[in-house]
Amino acid sequence: MNIGVLGAGQLGRMLALAGYPLGNRFTFLDTTGNPSAGIGEVIVDPNNQHLDEFLAKVDLVTYEFEHLPVELVREIEAQKPVYPGSRAIAVCQNRVEEKALFDRLGIPTPAYRVVESAEQLEAAARELGCPVVAKSVTEGYDGKGQAVLKQPEQALESWNSIGHSQLIVEAFVDFVREVSIIAVRGRDGQVVFYPMAENVHVDGILRYSLAPMPDLDAAVQQTADGYIRALLDELDYVGVLALELFQTREGDLLANEMAPRVHNSGHWTMDGAVTSQFENHLRAIQGLPLGETTALAPTCMVNVIGREGDITALLALPQAHLHRYDKSERPGRKLGHVNLVAATHDELLASVKSCAELLPGSPAPTFSFE
Amino acid sequence: MNIGVLGAGQLGRMLALAGYPLGNRFTFLDTTGNPSAGIGEVIVDPNNQHLDEFLAKVDLVTYEFEHLPVELVREIEAQKPVYPGSRAIAVCQNRVEEKALFDRLGIPTPAYRVVESAEQLEAAARELGCPVVAKSVTEGYDGKGQAVLKQPEQALESWNSIGHSQLIVEAFVDFVREVSIIAVRGRDGQVVFYPMAENVHVDGILRYSLAPMPDLDAAVQQTADGYIRALLDELDYVGVLALELFQTREGDLLANEMAPRVHNSGHWTMDGAVTSQFENHLRAIQGLPLGETTALAPTCMVNVIGREGDITALLALPQAHLHRYDKSERPGRKLGHVNLVAATHDELLASVKSCAELLPGSPAPTFSFE
């Protein structure tokens, strides 16, 4: 089975590393001109001239990046199976459609408004009560295309800095922590759920994901399972879906956004769960039985961002699993991650602090349960 | 760091899969004309014309197959670091030198004789007492170049069937089980040991490796650790070394043979230990800190030989990790392996039996502790 991947970054790389042992081969289609997968066959196609060549090589298509032209994905779907399907892409790349779907399925979200001018943005900020966050409706990724308004008077400045014709404006949530749930749906409709992770962002970029959470109420996990199952079933989804949520002081969950692909907050599963999210995505899209999602031990994923840090010292940490992406250093760039595993959460937190000290510019996290 | 691998089979493939996350790249030199690694850059060189091209690309050299001309390895050593070094190869590819080393280091072995004619073979068989096993001194691999003599009168027939000018003749050992110990030595002399595995062979080919053994006395593991440490230190060895042993009814260990490389009886570590043998080999040869070798849970490696079996059913087994080598089916060919993990040894044995039923021509094993 030759699997075609749209995009050729680290997510595609890790899919391939999980897929070779299943007997898969991989062909990547890179439209950026700057692929980094470093594995499999990479077709570099910045001018969209090699799609037919790509499709002729592959048995089915998946992707590592959802900000793809929906028309392109539909064109591919007419020729080869694409998992997850174009409907998931259409929803996930448009915050208005995504919110509408959450609303329709009864999945709570922060209060929001859709605005189409600086004036509407100012009015929404007054109505929701500042601070609010304004986000472009499309092409959001890792905190880009976003602005925080501390006062309604910042509306014009924010509108201009984002530079999109339609924005979502959201009330700030008084959350205790940011969490995510990752689930996998097979071609036969079977669904499996990973234990939820607590995520720590710095400057809008994910830095840490820890799972399982020591203080997670089983009822909260069940609620999250129910939300993501509703999304998976509604979209007739096949593969890994990630849903990011806020958990409030009262323990309630509010959906933030979803991603129709393997997700950075699921990288801990590579060393902390029976089956990694990457293997389960590949099992799902090939119609194979899904693997178990049980956590093996408390695990924390630490992103390596901008600079590599001291590799030798990182590898000397207890139960440290290093995953480098073979990319050159650049401020803000995800270069790799370290998965730390430990017998107890106390040991894990100590290990995370040691790891943070070895990574330049990586402030040690404070988790909600500490 | 670009790592050169002599040989391009499944061991090289699995080294590469473990090495990409460390940021390594791989170039394989295949002299068979039939590489199967399916990953990295493969230089196919059946006529030995591309060694310089290979060496120009790589920072250091390792190998997946020890039956290499020692002169070739010495030639490479003059240009690039080679781990493990040529001395390990020279010893491991010659059963007489290997036995002499075991003797010198006080590592017990089955009684043996070196013979250079059918007449000497017959005399040795009488002296040691039949049955005996006769093995060619060089180029032994997976039961090839061996013969069992049930009576001394079979000497001429055996001599002719093996067709080598020098044989080792060994007394049969009344063993309870075949076991192996895998250890890793770093460039700084640090040594780590994996828990011993019990191995089940069928027709001279490894079929099952189970670790940790539920009934293993800590003193026996310590004895094995001592034997392999003596070998590692004596050879100033860097990388993974495997030592196969017989365990007698009295609990004693007798060394059978060693392999200066990652080993089939260590594949269980990919899913059953904190750090796999492949990652630890790469850490060792690059001078990086060695990873922990602790077992995570009872694990059994099941080789997939000759035919692939029902992939879907295999993946549905509990905690099953499939590792396919992307090779075409052929009788006796190692096509992949399944690592089964379980919470208890009873659950593991049940899972192994289910797995054996799914693999054509794979008789279910009986382990010594059952």
Side-chain angles (χ1 to χ4, degrees), chain B residues 3 9 21 60 120 144 183 191 194 208-209 222 231 233 240 243 250 262 266 273 279 285 299 315 317 335 338 355:
Chain B
I3 296 186
L60 59 81
Q120 288 181 7
K144 291 162 197 158
V191 177
Y194 284 98
Y208 301 91
S209 289
Q222 277 176 18
L231 291 163
D233 288 343
V240 164
L243 175 63
E250 295 73 36
V262 289
E279 178 172 341
I285 67 178
T299 305
L315 286 172
L317 291 171
L335 302 176
V338 185
C355 183

Side-chain angles (χ1 to χ4, degrees), chain A residues 11 40 46 56 62 92 96 104 106 129 151 156 227 241 288 302 352-353 368:
Chain A
L11 299 180
T62 189
C92 292
V96 172
R104 199 161 70 247
Q151 299 166 334
L156 185 59
Y227 292 161
L241 179 70
L288 294 167
V302 182
V352 169
K353 287 191 195 344
S368 63

Side-chain angles (χ1 to χ4, degrees), chain A residues 227-266:
Chain A
Y227 292 161
I228 199 165
R229 180 189 280 279
L231 291 163
L232 290 166
D233 288 343
E234 168 65 21
L235 295 170
D236 193 18
Y237 192 96
V238 174
V240 164
L241 179 70
L243 175 64
E244 293 184 82
L245 308 120
F246 303 111
Q247 188 173 16
T248 67
R249 218 160 286 283
E250 295 73 34
D252 296 332
L253 297 173
L254 299 176
N256 179 19
E257 62 181 20
M258 59 181 180
R261 53 172 165 80
V262 290
H263 193 257
N264 198 165
S265 75

Side-chain angles (χ1 to χ4, degrees), chain A residues 13 21 25 292 319 324 326, chain B residues 21 25 292 319 324 326:
Chain A
R13 173 183 175 90
R25 298 179 183 187
E292 285 150 88
Q319 293 195 52
R324 299 173 73 188
D326 202 3
Chain B
R25 298 178 183 187
E292 285 149 88
Q319 294 195 52
R324 299 174 73 188
D326 202 3

